[in-house]
Amino acid sequence: MMFQGASAASFLSGLGIGLSLIVAIGAQNAFVLKQGLLRQHVLAVCLFCAASDAALIAAGVAGAGAIARNAPWFLSAMRWGGAAFLLYYGFRSARAAWRGGEALRAEGAAAPTLAATLATIAALTWLNPHVWLDTVVLLGSVSSAQPDRLAFALGAMSGSFLFFFSLGYGARLLGPLFVRPVAWRILDAGVALVMWTIAATLILGA
């Protein structure tokens, strides 16, 4: 699809704003990075994240952002549910960092099932109120000032697909580094820190 004039400007605006919001390191991105390093269910994880973003962006542009802004109980429920899950996942990562012994080996222990992997990324995506605020509320609000809201939404969606697939499949370039168990311990410790930091901001209402 080719855009011209105002539509092209709206598309590029959506692409730029979408990328600027999603590039920051977060719980979702940390999980995608780890799956990319392990080369486990990468396509499914990247596709799930990008499709989820697309659905939320579409909802925001369609006007659901007003519902989220006017229903404090909704964001509150997401905040506490997300914080609980992030604390648990952070604990798992911290325990893995403490125990060590992991390395990047394709022939290693059996990978989690696709269903279990998608359940985890679903929780990291849909239970994180920051995701809702960025996609539904913020992008939905910005879209109202765009000359072509559809082009803006498609631009933001394109940014999500570009970022997640680049992160998931680009992670394998770090493969040689993660052959060493110490690299995995550092990564797991970093993931735990990210999870707990986000959980703390949710609990404190930041």
Side-chain angles (χ1 to χ4, degrees):
M1 180 181 296
M2 298 296 293
F3 296 107
Q4 295 181 345
S7 294
S10 293
F11 180 88
L12 292 175
S13 177
L15 178 65
I17 295 174
L19 283 173
S20 68
L21 290 174
I22 203 172
V23 163
I25 294 299
Q28 188 186 46
N29 296 352
F31 186 81
V32 174
L33 174 63
K34 189 167 184 178
Q35 291 302 117
L37 286 167
L38 291 169
R39 301 190 183 186
Q40 295 174 355
H41 311 304
V42 181
L43 175 60
V45 168
C46 293
L47 187 59
F48 182 90
C49 290
S52 294
D53 264 15
L56 290 168
I57 291 168
V61 173
I67 298 176
R69 288 193 298 271
N70 295 321
W73 62 267
F74 175 76
L75 289 180
S76 179
M78 298 297 296
R79 178 161 65 98
W80 290 107
F85 183 81
L86 290 169
L87 287 172
Y88 166 72
Y89 196 87
F91 168 75
R92 286 183 52 189
S93 297
R95 183 176 60 183
W98 177 261
R99 291 178 176 177
E102 293 191 43
L104 187 59
R105 292 188 291 269
E107 71 279 6
T113 64
L114 175 60
T117 300
L118 290 181
T120 299
I121 192 58
L124 291 173
T125 300
W126 292 90
L127 287 180
N128 186 351
H130 290 312
V131 173
W132 287 78
L133 289 170
D134 286 347
T135 54
V136 177
V137 178
L138 181 56
L139 287 176
S141 298
V142 174
S143 70
S144 63
Q146 295 295 318
D148 190 332
R149 296 176 65 187
L150 175 60
F152 177 84
L154 291 175
M157 293 175 188
S158 297
S160 291
F161 276 88
L162 175 63
F163 175 79
F164 283 119
F165 278 89
S166 296
L167 180 63
Y169 285 98
R172 64 188 57 190
L173 297 176
L174 299 174
L177 173 63
F178 283 88
V179 170
R180 296 178 293 176
V182 66
W184 275 108
R185 299 186 73 171
I186 293 173
L187 176 64
D188 282 325
V191 169
L193 181 61
V194 168
M195 302 294 176
W196 285 341
T197 298
I198 297 173
T201 65
L202 294 178
I203 292 171
L204 296 174

